[in-house]
Amino acid sequence: EVGEILWKRVPYSILLALLSLVFVYAVAIPIGIYSALNKNKISDHIATFVGFIGLSIPNFFLALVLMVFSLLVLGLPVGGLFSAEYIHAPWSLAKFVDLLKHVWIAIVVIGTAGTAGLIRVVRGNLLDVLGEPYVTAVRAKGMPERAVIVKHAVRIAINPVISGLGMWLPTLISGETIVSIVMNIPTAGPLLLTGLMSQDIYLSGSILMVLAIFLLIGNLIADIALAWFDPRIRYD
């Protein structure tokens, strides 16, 4: 019975976590790079301010604000995973688009805090790398500035970001609990909370075991990606 419950909930938690992870990295890395290249300029201060705002706003409040905005301004559905006509329908492109219309708020809310923190990490790492002697040597050889930034500085600066990938996946899966409760999304987060409150060791223990498995998978993916991205790293 626990297996059946998890089979219905965990895939949606994984999908939500993966989409949130894509959102975090797609937003944080470019902004972090831009902020570092424009250090102490007005754009850098704006990015810093937005990052601190993202860290300080509670997830449940941001979810409520975006739900009102989505419903009243954009006219998009809020709450749940699917519209009524797609709940029991077979998977199709239209059903997937309907799913995105429902979960985009959750993706933004879950990814906001992580995005804000990651912007600061990317910015700080890139500033450190840009001050390294080898970057100065590459510039002295006449290489274009764009190539210096992309091929040398950024490639080294995002190593800590890639290595932290293993921690992000289980964190995002477990961090969607409040958002899922507010938006009535049937994921594993509310189920874990229910299991802990009712002291159901089989249910809560199974979900925690799934999170531990994804922690291992995330670390494995991070190690492989790091070895592929940085030629200085080799595993024998």
Side-chain angles (χ1 to χ4, degrees), residues 27-48 118-131 139 145 149 153-154 157-158:
V27 173
I29 292 178
I31 294 179
I33 294 173
Y34 180 82
S35 183
L37 296 179
N38 294 274
K39 180 183 177 182
N40 294 330
K41 294 183 179 179
I42 184 65
S43 55
D44 181 27
H45 294 311
I46 292 175
T48 300
L118 198 60
I119 289 174
R120 309 305 302 164
V121 173
V122 174
R123 178 185 182 276
N125 290 340
L126 184 56
L127 287 175
D128 289 339
V129 173
L130 289 174
R139 284 192 176 118
E145 184 66 16
I149 299 299
V154 172
I158 65 172

Side-chain angles (χ1 to χ4, degrees), residues 77-215:
V78 296
L81 288 172
F82 303 102
S83 301
E85 62 270 22
Y86 289 107
I87 293 178
H88 301 292
W91 278 101
S92 63
L93 179 60
K95 184 173 182 177
F96 182 72
V97 172
D98 183 70
L99 173 66
L100 294 180
K101 290 180 180 178
H102 282 76
V103 302
W104 75 268
I105 296 176
I107 294 171
V108 172
V109 172
I110 295 171
T112 297
T115 300
L118 198 60
I119 289 174
R120 309 305 302 164
V121 173
V122 174
R123 178 185 182 276
N125 290 340
L126 184 56
L127 287 175
D128 289 339
V129 173
L130 289 174
E132 294 292 332
Y134 77 89
V135 175
T136 304
V138 170
R139 284 192 176 118
K141 292 181 179 179
M143 180 174 289
E145 184 66 16
R146 182 182 180 87
V148 173
I149 299 299
V150 176
K151 291 185 178 181
H152 296 276
V154 172
R155 193 169 184 177
I156 302 302
I158 65 172
N159 279 359
V161 177
I162 297 176
S163 61
L165 177 65
M167 299 298 298
W168 274 104
L169 188 57
T171 300
L172 291 174
I173 293 177
S174 60
E176 44 84 19
T177 301
I178 296 178
V179 179
S180 297
I181 293 174
V182 173
M183 299 189 61
N184 192 30
I185 300 178
T187 59
L191 197 63
L192 175 60
L193 180 61
T194 301
L196 293 174
M197 293 180 65
S198 62
Q199 299 183 6
D200 188 338
I201 61 173
Y202 300 104
L203 179 59
S204 56
S206 298
I207 296 176
L208 291 175
M209 182 181 68
V210 170
L211 293 178
I213 292 174
F214 278 100
L215 175 62

